[in-house]
Amino acid sequence: NGPAALLRVHGLRAGYGPARVLHGVDLELAAGEMVAVLGPNGAGKTTMLRALSGLVRGRGSVLLDGTELLGRAPEEIVRLGVAHVPEGRGLFAPLTVEENLRIGAHLRPAAERAEDMRRVLAWFPVLRAHLSQPAGSLSGGEQQMLAVGRALMTRPRLLLLDEPSRGLAPVATRRMFDVLRAVGSHDRVAMLLVEQDARLALEFTSRALVMESGRLTVGGPAGWPQAGRRPSLFRPGR
Ligand code: ATP
């Protein structure tokens, strides 16, 4: 295992009651790295993100910079630097854009929230124009940006994104991925994103993994890696 890994997942198992979904997931992610998880419906991609952020109970080991996350409450995991943009975004539609962003900041030191807000609005200038509008009145693309912006308000080291392109027009999707890539490289935020659109995932991420029946493997369709990209190899845990 390389010393540079921010996230080290080893033998992660999780499920719902008696239904076992994850059967031993191994994964390493470096700071600033953007990795896609592809795979068929029901394979366990969402469950993996939920286990990493404490929303479902996991067994095995999930180390963030050496700190074990399993067994901790979701709020504590956010505090340690993991933010989750769930499927369906999880916005509060009747609340304004600004209120939604402030909710993302409630765990941050009060003295730093104004700066957090400034940074997020710099990444997503379109949100500034809509600060006092209800989140539910935004377009799909803007709502997705708001969901990512709210997650970034927590100043994460690791951002988990569940199908960020879902329901978005191609132009909005590309804009979103451009920003994600910029945030990742500028702020060294690692990103693990579930994505149905394999072409998009492979274009924007440094490597892609495939989840099948609760296990992760190296992957990508034929032709990948693209010219000019040198994906790092997936290193299974020991
Ligand atoms: P999708 O792209 O369809 O969301 P996925 O790879 O994200 O697929 P999961 O959502 O993690 O898959 O689901 C994995 C399995 O767990 C599926 O068989 C699903 O039916 C089951 N499952 C998901 N959520 C629950 C739940 N709350 N209770 C019970 N079973 C669940």
Side-chain angles (χ1 to χ4, degrees):
N1 289 343
L6 169 73
L7 178 73
R8 286 185 179 161
V9 177
H10 182 62
L12 177 62
R13 303 179 299 285
Y16 304 92
R20 180 75 82 77
V21 175
L22 301 181
H23 300 280
V25 168
D26 297 320
L27 168 70
E28 286 194 6
L29 215 60
E33 194 182 15
M34 193 166 169
V35 169
V37 179
L38 311 169
N41 287 344
K45 305 179 297 294
T46 294
T47 301
M48 177 178 70
L49 297 191
R50 293 172 63 82
L52 295 180
S53 57
L55 299 172
V56 301
R57 185 196 302 266
R59 303 187 61 182
S61 178
V62 175
L63 296 177
L64 185 78
D65 214 7
T67 300
E68 181 59 62
L69 299 185
L70 293 186
R72 294 179 190 268
E75 188 165 297
E76 209 182 335
I77 292 175
V78 174
R79 233 186 263 280
L80 287 167
V82 179
H84 188 163
V85 181
E87 229 171 343
R89 304 176 190 132
L91 295 173
F92 299 97
L95 299 187
T96 67
V97 167
E98 183 169 3
E99 286 164 340
N100 272 275
L101 291 172
R102 291 196 187 286
I103 287 165
H106 82 282
L107 293 174
R108 295 275 300 148
E112 293 171 34
R113 289 178 200 163
E115 169 65 9
D116 294 340
M117 179 74 80
R118 193 194 61 73
R119 289 162 46 87
V120 165
L121 294 177
W123 286 121
F124 299 107
V126 66
L127 296 180
R128 188 185 292 279
H130 300 298
L131 276 178
S132 54
Q133 273 176 238
S137 71
L138 302 185
S139 72
E142 290 162 350
Q143 288 192 26
Q144 189 61 54
M145 290 185 196
L146 176 55
V148 173
R150 184 179 60 179
L152 292 176
M153 289 292 284
T154 68
R155 286 274 201 148
R157 289 187 285 174
L158 171 64
L159 185 57
L160 308 172
L161 298 145
D162 205 339
E163 296 194 39
S165 72
R166 189 180 195 138
L168 299 193
V171 169
T173 298
R174 301 188 72 81
R175 196 176 303 137
M176 158 77 44
F177 272 82
D178 277 335
V179 176
L180 290 175
R181 189 156 62 179
V183 171
S185 64
H186 186 272
D187 290 352
R188 304 277 292 154
V189 178
M191 298 188 196
L192 189 61
L193 65 102
V194 169
E195 183 51 66
Q196 296 290 348
D197 184 339
R199 282 174 57 102
L200 185 76
L202 297 170
E203 178 183 342
F204 280 91
T205 63
S206 51
R207 61 193 168 114
L209 308 172
V210 176
M211 181 161 287
E212 261 173 315
S213 308
R215 288 194 174 81
L216 277 182
T217 54
V218 192
W224 184 82
Q226 298 175 330
R229 288 184 176 271
R230 285 184 58 244
S232 52
L233 279 179
F234 168 60
R235 290 166 295 177
R238 279 175 294 205

